Structures are given as C-alpha cells and as structure tokens.
PDB file of all heavy atoms in Angstrom:
ATOM      1  N   ASP A   8       0.741  -1.198   0.012  1.00  0.00           N
ATOM      2  CA  ASP A   8      -0.034   0.038  -0.013  1.00  0.00           C
ATOM      3  C   ASP A   8       0.895   1.323  -0.023  1.00  0.00           C
ATOM      4  O   ASP A   8       0.525   2.255  -0.737  1.00  0.00           O
ATOM      5  CB  ASP A   8      -0.979  -0.002   1.136  1.00  0.00           C
ATOM      6  CG  ASP A   8      -1.993  -1.131   1.216  1.00  0.00           C
ATOM      7  OD1 ASP A   8      -2.311  -1.506  -0.020  1.00  0.00           O
ATOM      8  OD2 ASP A   8      -2.494  -1.467   2.224  1.00  0.00           O
ATOM      9  N   ARG A   9       1.919   1.258   0.807  1.00  0.00           N
ATOM     10  CA  ARG A   9       2.755   2.417   0.901  1.00  0.00           C
ATOM     11  C   ARG A   9       3.498   2.662  -0.521  1.00  0.00           C
ATOM     12  O   ARG A   9       3.585   3.817  -0.942  1.00  0.00           O
ATOM     13  CB  ARG A   9       3.802   2.262   2.010  1.00  0.00           C
ATOM     14  CG  ARG A   9       3.410   2.581   3.317  1.00  0.00           C
ATOM     15  CD  ARG A   9       4.544   2.646   4.417  1.00  0.00           C
ATOM     16  NE  ARG A   9       5.193   1.347   4.498  1.00  0.00           N
ATOM     17  CZ  ARG A   9       4.900   0.323   5.287  1.00  0.00           C
ATOM     18  NH1 ARG A   9       3.854   0.450   6.039  1.00  0.00           N
ATOM     19  NH2 ARG A   9       5.720  -0.801   5.329  1.00  0.00           N
ATOM     20  N   GLN A  10       4.109   1.645  -1.015  1.00  0.00           N
ATOM     21  CA  GLN A  10       4.835   1.792  -2.229  1.00  0.00           C
ATOM     22  C   GLN A  10       3.853   2.159  -3.400  1.00  0.00           C
ATOM     23  O   GLN A  10       4.245   2.955  -4.216  1.00  0.00           O
ATOM     24  CB  GLN A  10       5.490   0.462  -2.557  1.00  0.00           C
ATOM     25  CG  GLN A  10       6.723   0.118  -1.748  1.00  0.00           C
ATOM     26  CD  GLN A  10       7.419  -0.942  -2.236  1.00  0.00           C
ATOM     27  OE1 GLN A  10       7.609  -1.196  -3.426  1.00  0.00           O
ATOM     28  NE2 GLN A  10       8.008  -1.889  -1.304  1.00  0.00           N
ATOM     29  N   ARG A  11       2.677   1.663  -3.436  1.00  0.00           N
ATOM     30  CA  ARG A  11       1.753   1.965  -4.484  1.00  0.00           C
ATOM     31  C   ARG A  11       1.256   3.380  -4.440  1.00  0.00           C
ATOM     32  O   ARG A  11       1.234   4.125  -5.343  1.00  0.00           O
ATOM     33  CB  ARG A  11       0.456   1.094  -4.396  1.00  0.00           C
ATOM     34  CG  ARG A  11      -0.461   1.255  -5.590  1.00  0.00           C
ATOM     35  CD  ARG A  11      -1.604   0.212  -5.638  1.00  0.00           C
ATOM     36  NE  ARG A  11      -2.580   0.706  -6.555  1.00  0.00           N
ATOM     37  CZ  ARG A  11      -3.552   1.439  -6.337  1.00  0.00           C
ATOM     38  NH1 ARG A  11      -3.810   1.998  -5.075  1.00  0.00           N
ATOM     39  NH2 ARG A  11      -4.453   1.816  -7.323  1.00  0.00           N
ATOM     40  N   LYS A  12       1.052   3.809  -3.152  1.00  0.00           N
ATOM     41  CA  LYS A  12       0.563   5.294  -2.921  1.00  0.00           C
ATOM     42  C   LYS A  12       1.708   6.132  -3.389  1.00  0.00           C
ATOM     43  O   LYS A  12       1.368   7.299  -4.000  1.00  0.00           O
ATOM     44  CB  LYS A  12       0.312   5.530  -1.424  1.00  0.00           C
ATOM     45  CG  LYS A  12      -0.296   6.741  -1.080  1.00  0.00           C
ATOM     46  CD  LYS A  12      -0.527   6.951   0.338  1.00  0.00           C
ATOM     47  CE  LYS A  12      -1.972   6.599   0.643  1.00  0.00           C
ATOM     48  NZ  LYS A  12      -2.475   6.754   2.037  1.00  0.00           N
ATOM     49  N   ARG A  13       2.900   5.825  -3.210  1.00  0.00           N
ATOM     50  CA  ARG A  13       4.029   6.792  -3.694  1.00  0.00           C
ATOM     51  C   ARG A  13       4.487   6.493  -5.090  1.00  0.00           C
ATOM     52  O   ARG A  13       5.525   7.042  -5.533  1.00  0.00           O
ATOM     53  CB  ARG A  13       5.222   6.482  -2.768  1.00  0.00           C
ATOM     54  CG  ARG A  13       4.962   6.944  -1.298  1.00  0.00           C
ATOM     55  CD  ARG A  13       6.085   6.578  -0.429  1.00  0.00           C
ATOM     56  NE  ARG A  13       7.314   7.100  -0.779  1.00  0.00           N
ATOM     57  CZ  ARG A  13       8.501   6.619  -0.387  1.00  0.00           C
ATOM     58  NH1 ARG A  13       8.578   5.545   0.478  1.00  0.00           N
ATOM     59  NH2 ARG A  13       9.611   7.176  -0.837  1.00  0.00           N
ATOM     60  N   SER A  14       3.667   5.719  -5.867  1.00  0.00           N
ATOM     61  CA  SER A  14       3.939   5.410  -7.296  1.00  0.00           C
ATOM     62  C   SER A  14       5.248   4.633  -7.552  1.00  0.00           C
ATOM     63  O   SER A  14       5.823   4.786  -8.488  1.00  0.00           O
ATOM     64  CB  SER A  14       3.869   6.735  -8.178  1.00  0.00           C
ATOM     65  OG  SER A  14       2.507   7.202  -8.060  1.00  0.00           O
ATOM     66  N   LEU A  15       5.662   3.954  -6.428  1.00  0.00           N
ATOM     67  CA  LEU A  15       6.833   3.172  -6.653  1.00  0.00           C
ATOM     68  C   LEU A  15       6.642   1.752  -7.267  1.00  0.00           C
ATOM     69  O   LEU A  15       7.699   1.096  -7.783  1.00  0.00           O
ATOM     70  CB  LEU A  15       7.535   2.999  -5.318  1.00  0.00           C
ATOM     71  CG  LEU A  15       8.032   4.291  -4.623  1.00  0.00           C
ATOM     72  CD1 LEU A  15       8.517   3.859  -3.165  1.00  0.00           C
ATOM     73  CD2 LEU A  15       9.051   4.871  -5.365  1.00  0.00           C
ATOM     74  N   VAL A  16       5.459   1.379  -7.340  1.00  0.00           N
ATOM     75  CA  VAL A  16       5.112   0.107  -7.949  1.00  0.00           C
ATOM     76  C   VAL A  16       4.756   0.411  -9.433  1.00  0.00           C
ATOM     77  O   VAL A  16       3.755   1.087  -9.642  1.00  0.00           O
ATOM     78  CB  VAL A  16       3.897  -0.609  -7.286  1.00  0.00           C
ATOM     79  CG1 VAL A  16       3.651  -1.893  -7.921  1.00  0.00           C
ATOM     80  CG2 VAL A  16       4.230  -0.900  -5.777  1.00  0.00           C
ATOM     81  N   THR A  17       5.553  -0.069 -10.476  1.00  0.00           N
ATOM     82  CA  THR A  17       5.238   0.216 -11.712  1.00  0.00           C
ATOM     83  C   THR A  17       5.345  -1.017 -12.585  1.00  0.00           C
ATOM     84  O   THR A  17       5.987  -1.987 -12.188  1.00  0.00           O
ATOM     85  CB  THR A  17       6.399   1.207 -12.330  1.00  0.00           C
ATOM     86  OG1 THR A  17       7.669   0.662 -12.213  1.00  0.00           O
ATOM     87  CG2 THR A  17       6.244   2.592 -11.619  1.00  0.00           C
ATOM     88  N   CYS A  18       4.758  -1.024 -13.705  1.00  0.00           N
ATOM     89  CA  CYS A  18       4.699  -2.181 -14.712  1.00  0.00           C
ATOM     90  C   CYS A  18       6.080  -2.337 -15.259  1.00  0.00           C
ATOM     91  O   CYS A  18       6.673  -1.271 -15.725  1.00  0.00           O
ATOM     92  CB  CYS A  18       3.663  -1.894 -15.794  1.00  0.00           C
ATOM     93  SG  CYS A  18       3.630  -3.195 -17.018  1.00  0.00           S
ATOM     94  N   PRO A  19       6.674  -3.542 -15.299  1.00  0.00           N
ATOM     95  CA  PRO A  19       7.897  -3.778 -15.805  1.00  0.00           C
ATOM     96  C   PRO A  19       7.867  -3.740 -17.447  1.00  0.00           C
ATOM     97  O   PRO A  19       8.978  -3.499 -18.085  1.00  0.00           O
ATOM     98  CB  PRO A  19       8.338  -5.098 -15.434  1.00  0.00           C
ATOM     99  CG  PRO A  19       7.051  -5.778 -15.066  1.00  0.00           C
ATOM    100  CD  PRO A  19       6.140  -4.803 -14.627  1.00  0.00           C
ATOM    101  N   VAL A  20       6.751  -3.725 -18.007  1.00  0.00           N
ATOM    102  CA  VAL A  20       6.566  -3.676 -19.445  1.00  0.00           C
ATOM    103  C   VAL A  20       6.478  -2.339 -19.926  1.00  0.00           C
ATOM    104  O   VAL A  20       7.120  -1.934 -20.907  1.00  0.00           O
ATOM    105  CB  VAL A  20       5.426  -4.569 -19.947  1.00  0.00           C
ATOM    106  CG1 VAL A  20       5.156  -4.492 -21.501  1.00  0.00           C
ATOM    107  CG2 VAL A  20       5.524  -6.057 -19.458  1.00  0.00           C
ATOM    108  N   CYS A  21       5.540  -1.552 -19.386  1.00  0.00           N
ATOM    109  CA  CYS A  21       5.266  -0.172 -19.993  1.00  0.00           C
ATOM    110  C   CYS A  21       5.610   0.858 -18.922  1.00  0.00           C
ATOM    111  O   CYS A  21       5.450   2.092 -19.293  1.00  0.00           O
ATOM    112  CB  CYS A  21       3.798  -0.051 -20.392  1.00  0.00           C
ATOM    113  SG  CYS A  21       2.708  -0.232 -18.993  1.00  0.00           S
ATOM    114  N   ALA A  22       5.947   0.582 -17.686  1.00  0.00           N
ATOM    115  CA  ALA A  22       6.425   1.543 -16.676  1.00  0.00           C
ATOM    116  C   ALA A  22       5.214   2.258 -16.138  1.00  0.00           C
ATOM    117  O   ALA A  22       5.383   3.303 -15.293  1.00  0.00           O
ATOM    118  CB  ALA A  22       7.473   2.432 -17.165  1.00  0.00           C
ATOM    119  N   SER A  23       3.988   1.812 -16.418  1.00  0.00           N
ATOM    120  CA  SER A  23       2.790   2.621 -15.844  1.00  0.00           C
ATOM    121  C   SER A  23       2.661   2.463 -14.273  1.00  0.00           C
ATOM    122  O   SER A  23       3.012   1.326 -13.782  1.00  0.00           O
ATOM    123  CB  SER A  23       1.574   2.059 -16.494  1.00  0.00           C
ATOM    124  OG  SER A  23       0.438   2.605 -15.805  1.00  0.00           O
ATOM    125  N   ALA A  24       2.387   3.426 -13.569  1.00  0.00           N
ATOM    126  CA  ALA A  24       2.229   3.383 -12.145  1.00  0.00           C
ATOM    127  C   ALA A  24       0.806   3.052 -11.745  1.00  0.00           C
ATOM    128  O   ALA A  24       0.545   3.028 -10.442  1.00  0.00           O
ATOM    129  CB  ALA A  24       2.763   4.639 -11.472  1.00  0.00           C
ATOM    130  N   LYS A  25      -0.083   3.066 -12.716  1.00  0.00           N
ATOM    131  CA  LYS A  25      -1.371   2.774 -12.442  1.00  0.00           C
ATOM    132  C   LYS A  25      -1.692   1.173 -12.454  1.00  0.00           C
ATOM    133  O   LYS A  25      -1.918   0.558 -13.385  1.00  0.00           O
ATOM    134  CB  LYS A  25      -2.258   3.224 -13.570  1.00  0.00           C
ATOM    135  CG  LYS A  25      -2.335   4.806 -13.510  1.00  0.00           C
ATOM    136  CD  LYS A  25      -3.117   5.442 -14.658  1.00  0.00           C
ATOM    137  CE  LYS A  25      -3.045   6.882 -14.795  1.00  0.00           C
ATOM    138  NZ  LYS A  25      -3.745   7.386 -15.926  1.00  0.00           N
ATOM    139  N   VAL A  26      -1.450   0.570 -11.233  1.00  0.00           N
ATOM    140  CA  VAL A  26      -1.504  -0.872 -11.012  1.00  0.00           C
ATOM    141  C   VAL A  26      -2.598  -1.224 -10.114  1.00  0.00           C
ATOM    142  O   VAL A  26      -2.753  -0.422  -9.156  1.00  0.00           O
ATOM    143  CB  VAL A  26      -0.061  -1.423 -10.710  1.00  0.00           C
ATOM    144  CG1 VAL A  26       0.932  -1.184 -11.884  1.00  0.00           C
ATOM    145  CG2 VAL A  26       0.338  -0.875  -9.358  1.00  0.00           C
ATOM    146  N   GLU A  27      -3.106  -2.349 -10.180  1.00  0.00           N
ATOM    147  CA  GLU A  27      -4.092  -2.924  -9.312  1.00  0.00           C
ATOM    148  C   GLU A  27      -3.818  -4.339  -9.014  1.00  0.00           C
ATOM    149  O   GLU A  27      -3.264  -5.080  -9.934  1.00  0.00           O
ATOM    150  CB  GLU A  27      -5.490  -2.769  -9.771  1.00  0.00           C
ATOM    151  CG  GLU A  27      -6.005  -1.317  -9.987  1.00  0.00           C
ATOM    152  CD  GLU A  27      -6.284  -0.587  -8.714  1.00  0.00           C
ATOM    153  OE1 GLU A  27      -6.551  -1.290  -7.663  1.00  0.00           O
ATOM    154  OE2 GLU A  27      -5.981   0.633  -8.704  1.00  0.00           O
ATOM    155  N   LYS A  28      -4.178  -4.910  -7.825  1.00  0.00           N
ATOM    156  CA  LYS A  28      -4.179  -6.347  -7.515  1.00  0.00           C
ATOM    157  C   LYS A  28      -5.072  -7.021  -8.360  1.00  0.00           C
ATOM    158  O   LYS A  28      -6.160  -6.495  -8.621  1.00  0.00           O
ATOM    159  CB  LYS A  28      -4.474  -6.607  -6.139  1.00  0.00           C
ATOM    160  CG  LYS A  28      -3.451  -5.992  -5.050  1.00  0.00           C
ATOM    161  CD  LYS A  28      -3.995  -6.463  -3.660  1.00  0.00           C
ATOM    162  CE  LYS A  28      -3.400  -5.458  -2.644  1.00  0.00           C
ATOM    163  NZ  LYS A  28      -4.058  -5.796  -1.295  1.00  0.00           N
ATOM    164  N   THR A  29      -4.697  -8.238  -8.820  1.00  0.00           N
ATOM    165  CA  THR A  29      -5.644  -8.984  -9.564  1.00  0.00           C
ATOM    166  C   THR A  29      -6.205 -10.101  -8.710  1.00  0.00           C
ATOM    167  O   THR A  29      -5.749 -10.346  -7.590  1.00  0.00           O
ATOM    168  CB  THR A  29      -4.982  -9.672 -10.796  1.00  0.00           C
ATOM    169  OG1 THR A  29      -4.011 -10.587 -10.276  1.00  0.00           O
ATOM    170  CG2 THR A  29      -4.332  -8.753 -11.807  1.00  0.00           C
ATOM    171  N   ILE A  30      -7.338 -10.706  -9.194  1.00  0.00           N
ATOM    172  CA  ILE A  30      -7.856 -11.868  -8.398  1.00  0.00           C
ATOM    173  C   ILE A  30      -6.903 -13.026  -8.448  1.00  0.00           C
ATOM    174  O   ILE A  30      -6.331 -13.291  -9.526  1.00  0.00           O
ATOM    175  CB  ILE A  30      -9.181 -12.293  -9.079  1.00  0.00           C
ATOM    176  CG1 ILE A  30     -10.247 -11.182  -9.064  1.00  0.00           C
ATOM    177  CG2 ILE A  30      -9.763 -13.546  -8.316  1.00  0.00           C
ATOM    178  CD1 ILE A  30     -10.962 -10.808  -7.914  1.00  0.00           C
ATOM    179  N   MET A  31      -6.500 -13.531  -7.305  1.00  0.00           N
ATOM    180  CA  MET A  31      -5.575 -14.565  -7.211  1.00  0.00           C
ATOM    181  C   MET A  31      -5.823 -15.436  -6.122  1.00  0.00           C
ATOM    182  O   MET A  31      -6.678 -15.250  -5.182  1.00  0.00           O
ATOM    183  CB  MET A  31      -4.127 -13.963  -7.071  1.00  0.00           C
ATOM    184  CG  MET A  31      -3.987 -13.126  -5.904  1.00  0.00           C
ATOM    185  SD  MET A  31      -2.230 -12.472  -5.777  1.00  0.00           S
ATOM    186  CE  MET A  31      -2.307 -11.624  -4.260  1.00  0.00           C
ATOM    187  N   ALA A  32      -5.178 -16.594  -6.103  1.00  0.00           N
ATOM    188  CA  ALA A  32      -5.338 -17.652  -4.987  1.00  0.00           C
ATOM    189  C   ALA A  32      -4.050 -17.462  -4.264  1.00  0.00           C
ATOM    190  O   ALA A  32      -3.173 -18.266  -4.462  1.00  0.00           O
ATOM    191  CB  ALA A  32      -5.530 -18.970  -5.500  1.00  0.00           C
ATOM    192  N   PRO A  33      -3.939 -16.661  -3.197  1.00  0.00           N
ATOM    193  CA  PRO A  33      -2.770 -16.426  -2.472  1.00  0.00           C
ATOM    194  C   PRO A  33      -2.433 -17.509  -1.435  1.00  0.00           C
ATOM    195  O   PRO A  33      -3.228 -18.315  -1.167  1.00  0.00           O
ATOM    196  CB  PRO A  33      -2.956 -14.970  -1.877  1.00  0.00           C
ATOM    197  CG  PRO A  33      -4.308 -14.807  -1.942  1.00  0.00           C
ATOM    198  CD  PRO A  33      -5.057 -15.679  -2.961  1.00  0.00           C
ATOM    199  N   ALA A  34      -1.138 -17.497  -0.897  1.00  0.00           N
ATOM    200  CA  ALA A  34      -0.796 -18.454   0.167  1.00  0.00           C
ATOM    201  C   ALA A  34      -0.657 -17.723   1.428  1.00  0.00           C
ATOM    202  O   ALA A  34      -0.090 -16.556   1.489  1.00  0.00           O
ATOM    203  CB  ALA A  34       0.594 -19.083  -0.263  1.00  0.00           C
ATOM    204  N   LEU A  35      -1.030 -18.401   2.546  1.00  0.00           N
ATOM    205  CA  LEU A  35      -0.921 -17.698   3.831  1.00  0.00           C
ATOM    206  C   LEU A  35       0.214 -18.439   4.620  1.00  0.00           C
ATOM    207  O   LEU A  35       0.442 -19.602   4.504  1.00  0.00           O
ATOM    208  CB  LEU A  35      -2.150 -18.000   4.686  1.00  0.00           C
ATOM    209  CG  LEU A  35      -2.202 -17.514   6.092  1.00  0.00           C
ATOM    210  CD1 LEU A  35      -2.093 -16.010   6.135  1.00  0.00           C
ATOM    211  CD2 LEU A  35      -3.439 -17.889   6.738  1.00  0.00           C
ATOM    212  N   GLY A  36       1.142 -17.559   5.236  1.00  0.00           N
ATOM    213  CA  GLY A  36       2.135 -18.181   6.045  1.00  0.00           C
ATOM    214  C   GLY A  36       3.491 -17.823   5.359  1.00  0.00           C
ATOM    215  O   GLY A  36       3.568 -17.480   4.265  1.00  0.00           O
ATOM    216  N   HIS A  37       4.511 -18.104   6.084  1.00  0.00           N
ATOM    217  CA  HIS A  37       5.939 -17.900   5.624  1.00  0.00           C
ATOM    218  C   HIS A  37       6.687 -19.065   5.328  1.00  0.00           C
ATOM    219  O   HIS A  37       7.775 -18.985   4.768  1.00  0.00           O
ATOM    220  CB  HIS A  37       6.681 -16.959   6.582  1.00  0.00           C
ATOM    221  CG  HIS A  37       6.783 -17.654   7.992  1.00  0.00           C
ATOM    222  ND1 HIS A  37       6.411 -18.982   8.261  1.00  0.00           N
ATOM    223  CD2 HIS A  37       7.227 -17.197   9.147  1.00  0.00           C
ATOM    224  CE1 HIS A  37       6.635 -19.253   9.573  1.00  0.00           C
ATOM    225  NE2 HIS A  37       7.112 -18.085  10.072  1.00  0.00           N
TER     226      HIS A  37
END
C-alpha cells in the first residue's frame, strides 16, 4: 500500500504506475 501510494510500483513492461491487484489464489504463512 505504501509503495503503490508513492507510485513506486510500476509495470515492468510499460512503466505505468497505475497498477491494481488481480484476483488470485494467494498463500498464507511464511
């Protein structure tokens, strides 16, 4: 959230900072 708010998360293909989480099946735990 912090990095996205500061536009530090960018697309590696087009460098767009307009990114969103996609629907995914994530894993819990380390």
Side-chain angles (χ1 to χ4, degrees):
D8 293 334
R9 279 191 300 274
Q10 288 187 38
R11 185 174 170 271
K12 188 180 261 185
R13 294 174 56 205
S14 297
L15 297 175
V16 180
T17 58
C18 174
V20 177
C21 66
S23 173
K25 295 178 182 175
V26 297
E27 296 290 330
K28 293 180 200 172
T29 64
I30 303 281
M31 59 183 187
L35 179 63
H37 59 8

